[in-house]
Amino acid sequence: MPNNVMREITPLTPSDCFTIFSRVKNKFDFPLHYHEEYELNLIINANGAKRVVGGHIEVIDDLELVLVGPNLYHAWFTHQCKSEAINEVTIQFHKDLFDEKFLRRNQLSFVKSMLERSQRGIAFSPETIAALKDRLLSLDKKNGFDGVLELLSILHDLSISRNMKTLSDPSFTNEKFYYNSRRIEKVFEFMNSNYNKPVSLAEVARIANMPEASFSRFIKKRTGKTFIDSLNEIRLGHASRMLIDSTTTVAEIAYKCGFNNISNFNRIFKRKKFCIPKEFRETYTGNRIFI
């Protein structure tokens, strides 16, 4: 992964199914990035903007609907777009929203194929966008289980649509890390349950039943991140959620999410998200819905 590509830590928690973020803006200003979640992006009125997905670069038309798989880097740039009212709806959902055994069922074969293709990015046809645009725009009006059902229905309809285009070249390799380890899963479950408390390397090494030095090498090899980076990213995810969902002060959020001082929290937050917590809150508050 190139060093100038930002790893986005989304505010989705393990208890969420998906999140919807909608906004109207006059430019694209989020840097090239990637994240572990799937992302479905509907963009309206952005003719002349430039899309980057993996190794694929393209100038887009007025209507755009793209599905990006986990850890595939992507971004939209203003480029030649002159619109003062770009409408963007971003839906992010967990990699494990669909259980692997569930996806092997006959009725899910098209969805399974689409999710596999999304590892290179998929752009949907204008006809498909026209058919599903209103449902995507109104998805944030659905509540609870109705929202989940509607998202699954939309994904199914996308999976059987015609003329979808795979974007990134197959020779483009984006480094991905798969845990495939019950030890790592147990450690992440523990960190997700205890992110608001002090968590030591010794504790998680005991959970993995490994010496500390061996576990340090093991987690780095399996996830691509150190233990402390993994813990901080979990804490930042919960902090991002609290910044969006509450009016709690930044200092309180820092301490509630396990950071021992506000300066350290601000420094890590800015390094990972390219903005300070106050700016993040101002950008996202009131626009994002979790289901």
Side-chain angles (χ1 to χ4, degrees), residues 238-256:
H238 286 280
S240 299
R241 178 64 173 272
M242 292 180 69
L243 286 165
I244 292 168
D245 275 356
S246 75
T247 57
T248 306
T249 68
V250 171
E252 287 180 278
I253 289 173
Y255 290 112
K256 284 183 177 181

Side-chain angles (χ1 to χ4, degrees), residues 218-236:
F218 182 68
I219 192 171
K220 175 70 173 178
K221 181 178 179 181
R222 289 301 181 107
T223 70
K225 300 185 292 289
T226 65
F227 154 66
I228 195 63
D229 278 344
S230 299
L231 177 59
N232 280 338
E233 289 189 358
I234 288 171
R235 286 171 168 167
L236 286 178

Side-chain angles (χ1 to χ4, degrees), residues 1 69-72 119-120 172-178 222-223:
M1 182 68 65
N71 296 313
L72 177 63
Q119 300 293 335
R120 291 162 55 195
F172 180 86
T173 56
N174 180 15
E175 188 176 16
K176 302 179 183 71
F177 298 95
Y178 299 96
R222 289 301 181 107
T223 70

Side-chain angles (χ1 to χ4, degrees), residues 67-192:
L67 178 63
V68 177
N71 296 313
L72 177 63
Y73 66 74
H74 57 282
W76 280 257
F77 300 99
T78 305
H79 191 48
Q80 298 172 348
C81 180
K82 306 297 184 185
S83 173
E84 292 296 318
I86 301 167
N87 190 354
E88 184 175 25
V89 176
T90 299
I91 300 166
Q92 294 174 332
F93 56 96
H94 290 295
K95 288 191 296 185
D96 61 358
L97 180 62
F98 294 94
D99 180 81
E100 187 60 35
K101 291 181 180 178
F102 184 48
L103 283 175
R104 288 202 292 266
R105 303 297 193 270
N106 290 336
Q107 292 78 9
L108 274 293
S109 61
F110 288 103
V111 172
K112 182 175 187 292
S113 176
M114 180 181 71
L115 294 178
E116 289 171 350
R117 286 181 64 178
S118 75
Q119 300 293 335
R120 291 162 55 195
I122 298 172
F124 296 94
S125 70
E127 295 77 16
T128 298
I129 300 172
L132 293 175
K133 176 167 66 75
D134 290 344
R135 290 172 63 190
L136 288 164
L137 289 170
S138 60
L139 182 58
D140 60 0
K141 308 298 189 299
K142 300 282 185 178
N143 295 315
F145 192 60
D146 288 339
V148 177
L149 287 178
E150 178 66 354
L151 175 62
L152 298 184
S153 177
I154 288 171
L155 291 174
H156 173 262
D157 289 348
L158 287 172
S159 74
I160 61 173
S161 66
R162 298 169 62 90
N163 301 319
M164 66 177 77
K165 180 174 69 173
T166 306
L167 297 176
S168 192
D169 190 271
S171 64
F172 180 86
T173 56
N174 180 15
E175 188 176 16
K176 302 179 183 71
F177 298 95
Y178 299 96
Y179 301 155
N180 195 28
S181 165
R182 182 55 188 154
R183 286 178 173 177
I184 294 292
E185 289 172 1
K186 286 173 67 177
V187 165
F188 272 75
E189 287 169 6
F190 177 80
M191 291 193 295
N192 261 304

